[in-house]
Amino acid sequence: MFNTLKPQAPDKILALMGQFKADPRPTKIDLGVGVYKDATGLTPVMRAIKAAEKQLWETETTKTYTALAGEPAYHAAMAEMVLGADYPKDRLSALATVGGTGACRQGFELARMANPGCTIWVSDPTWPNHLSILSFMKQDYKLYRYFDNASRSVSFDAMIEDLGAVKPGDVVLLHGCCHNPTGANLTLEQWGVVADLLEAKGAIPMIDLAYQGFGDGLDEDAAGTRLIASRLPEVMIAASCSKNFGIYRERTGILMVLTDAATRDVTQGTLAYLNRQNYSFAPDHGARLVTMVLTDPALRAEWMAELEEVRLGMLGLREALAAELRQLSNSDRFDFVAKHRGMFSRLGATPEQVETMRVDNAIYMVGDSRLNIAGLNSETVPILAKAIIASGA
Ligand code: LMR
């Protein structure tokens, strides 16, 4: 039977990780997968997480099952972080998921159960795995234009024009902050225009929030999501704790759904059902650590301080790279690097130029020229800048 299986194209981002590992050149630079790295190239366990793990080890008395949808304390702590302290408790359903990817998957499944004929609208470009999962699910999706390659910024008029074709009950997937792969984000004013449009269309926003705290700050990065949540009657939010808590391998995510209060219980029940059908209970360890960090004032303060160090470090690298490129190119055409936010920027180089940088300089970035700013340090910024200019990008 298994000889009928066809080879699957490897995920491009994950394949790049393998290629990088296999490269023997000691000067190699990894700007591929979206994982934070410090100046020495390590992805540290955050201080507050380490402290919470120690506390948990000392106090945890059982590993028996928790609630199917995850612990209510985790839901509340995450809802407060994402939506703010005054989130509408009577309208919120929540589901602990296997990372942010699991939250996206369960959100797509929920949309399909509620409205089997819906189309899911996705930014062009988006995180490639969004498209891969939707295709695997045989779920209809359409792309809306998002990025202007010439200015490396959001092509907002084109986005709004394309979203004009959205039908009632369609789902529009938006990146809450730190757009992956471009690094180009909506302004709060533009979020307001999107909210107006989706409200008028009767469409459901679904926000993928994977990098809260990596852009302009913890609250600032949630501002668009909060605006949408305050305006639209029905909203889905798929949030990840992988990056901002540095717990990638713990697979900690959450799907939050806002409905009217009368629909809340059936929505909550459906979410729990989705976990049971797909994998039963979500992992608990990471969710428990996140809950401890968010609800203990000392741990929270420690975590916020470290997250801020990480954020400011990435901003500093952005500014250094933009300055270096400004000098080498004798132009301001790379200034967008300092304006983008989060881990990623799309450089706008061709796949051939990206390949040239890999072959000639051992610099690894995703083929669409997405680079992970956190893969740089003060020594590699000038090396990358030179390679970019030499590649003709
Ligand atoms: C990325 O975009 O690199 C990350 O979200 C990691 C992944 O799973 O692709």
Side-chain angles (χ1 to χ4, degrees), residues 11 13-14 32-35 101 127-129 180 210-211 243 344 366 370:
D11 180 281
I13 296 173
L14 301 184
V33 70
V35 168
T101 308
W127 181 46
N129 209 26
N180 180 2
Y211 297 91
K243 283 89 182 179
F344 306 122
V366 182
R370 183 192 86 171

Side-chain angles (χ1 to χ4, degrees), residues 223-340:
T225 303
R226 290 177 189 176
L227 185 145
I228 291 276
S230 71
R231 297 267 298 275
L232 276 290
E234 296 188 322
V235 181
M236 289 193 282
I237 302 159
S240 169
C241 301
S242 296
K243 283 89 182 179
N244 47 11
F245 290 89
I247 49 171
Y248 304 84
R249 64 175 64 165
E250 302 298 351
R251 310 309 301 134
T252 307
I254 189 166
L255 176 66
M256 293 181 257
V257 186
L258 290 173
T259 60
D260 61 33
T263 313
R264 192 235 159 236
D265 287 355
V266 70
T267 307
Q268 184 62 59
T270 309
L271 289 179
Y273 170 84
L274 277 173
N275 260 10
R276 186 67 171 153
Q277 303 323 303
N278 283 324
Y279 42 71
S280 203
F281 296 82
D284 177 71
H285 186 71
R288 203 161 284 270
L289 298 175
V290 165
T291 310
M292 291 169 76
V293 168
L294 288 176
T295 55
D296 178 303
L299 289 178
R300 189 181 176 112
E302 180 78 54
W303 168 69
M304 286 189 64
E306 190 169 356
L307 182 60
E308 194 61 3
E309 285 164 27
V310 164
R311 185 181 81 78
L312 293 176
M314 287 190 291
L315 266 184
L317 289 166
R318 283 189 176 283
E319 272 151 28
L321 180 60
E324 199 77 27
L325 285 165
R326 181 178 263 254
Q327 208 190 4
L328 290 179
S329 70
N330 206 15
S331 78
D332 60 4
R333 66 194 173 93
F334 291 102
D335 280 9
F336 64 86
V337 172
K339 290 185 194 131
H340 288 168

Side-chain angles (χ1 to χ4, degrees), residues 101 103-113 118 120 122 129-131 133-134 137 139 171 173 206 236 255:
T101 308
C104 288
R105 173 65 190 256
Q106 301 290 54
F108 296 152
E109 300 254 19
L110 185 74
R112 191 157 70 171
M113 282 178 82
C118 74
I120 299 194
V122 186
N129 209 26
H130 284 148
L131 304 180
I133 293 171
L134 290 168
M137 290 174 69
Q139 167 64 49
V171 172
L173 183 60
M206 174 171 172
M236 289 193 282
L255 176 66

Side-chain angles (χ1 to χ4, degrees), residues 195-225:
D196 288 342
L197 181 75
L198 299 188
E199 201 173 4
K201 293 281 172 195
I204 318 301
M206 174 171 172
I207 299 173
D208 186 347
L209 190 63
Y211 297 91
Q212 188 182 350
F214 270 30
D216 290 309
L218 200 60
D219 285 325
E220 291 82 350
D221 288 348
T225 303

